[in-house]
Amino acid sequence: PTPPVTGLSPARRATLVLLGHVDAGKSTLSGRLLLALGAAAAPRAGRNATPLAWLTDEDPGERDRGVTVELSRRTALLAGGIRLDLVDAPGHRDFVPAAIRGASCADVACLVVDAAPGRFESGFAAPGAADGEGASAKRRGQTREHALL
């Protein structure tokens, strides 16, 4: 993780956290942003992760499982010398405390939503709602919970 930089006024830096359910594409989006902003080089990936996700998921366990477990913080310098701290938060319900930590340090949040048919609807379904399109009970309502963060 990138250490905090001191001496920058709050107006010259911002922290963006990406929240959403597991497999919604948060780590891939984080990698894409870092690449587009010139803050990272093109990565090489292993068997269970997309190459872009490896820019933020550095832990061998995360890479092997293809699931973010802990917060990842990367920095990009924007035009005008503005520093953007990009925080990739885990999406799995077992790691909600880490997602809360990420949300609490952010100036701005982006909710990443799975738009695949059935997965979008199940992400916002009320707990106890009937399964649709193969949605599992564990997946139901998870995006709704991330929106509350």
Side-chain angles (χ1 to χ4, degrees):
T2 305
V5 172
T6 57
L8 288 178
S9 71
R12 306 289 297 160
R13 63 180 181 215
T15 300
L16 166 67
V17 64
L18 296 176
L19 297 167
H21 187 64
V22 65
D23 293 334
K26 296 173 305 299
S27 295
T28 301
L29 178 58
S30 294
R32 169 59 63 202
L33 288 170
L34 291 170
L35 208 57
L37 293 169
R44 291 199 274 161
R47 58 190 170 128
N48 289 334
T50 64
L52 292 171
W54 276 44
L55 290 173
T56 56
D57 291 340
E58 292 184 341
D59 181 84
E62 290 179 330
R63 287 182 171 187
D64 189 48
R65 291 176 54 198
V67 175
T68 303
V69 174
E70 198 46 64
L71 292 174
S72 170
R73 183 184 199 116
R74 299 289 178 271
T75 299
L77 291 176
L78 306 178
I82 297 172
R83 173 189 158 139
L84 174 66
D85 290 326
L86 181 63
V87 178
D88 180 26
H92 194 279
R93 70 177 56 235
D94 291 346
F95 311 117
V96 167
I100 292 170
R101 282 195 321 273
S104 69
C105 75
D107 299 306
V108 179
C110 175
L111 179 63
V112 180
V113 178
D114 188 339
R119 296 185 88 168
F120 174 84
E121 294 80 2
S122 68
F124 286 99
D131 286 350
E133 301 290 324
S136 70
K138 284 188 173 185
R139 186 168 185 90
R140 247 182 280 125
Q142 194 65 23
T143 304
R144 175 192 295 243
E145 292 175 15
H146 283 99
L148 292 173
L149 282 177

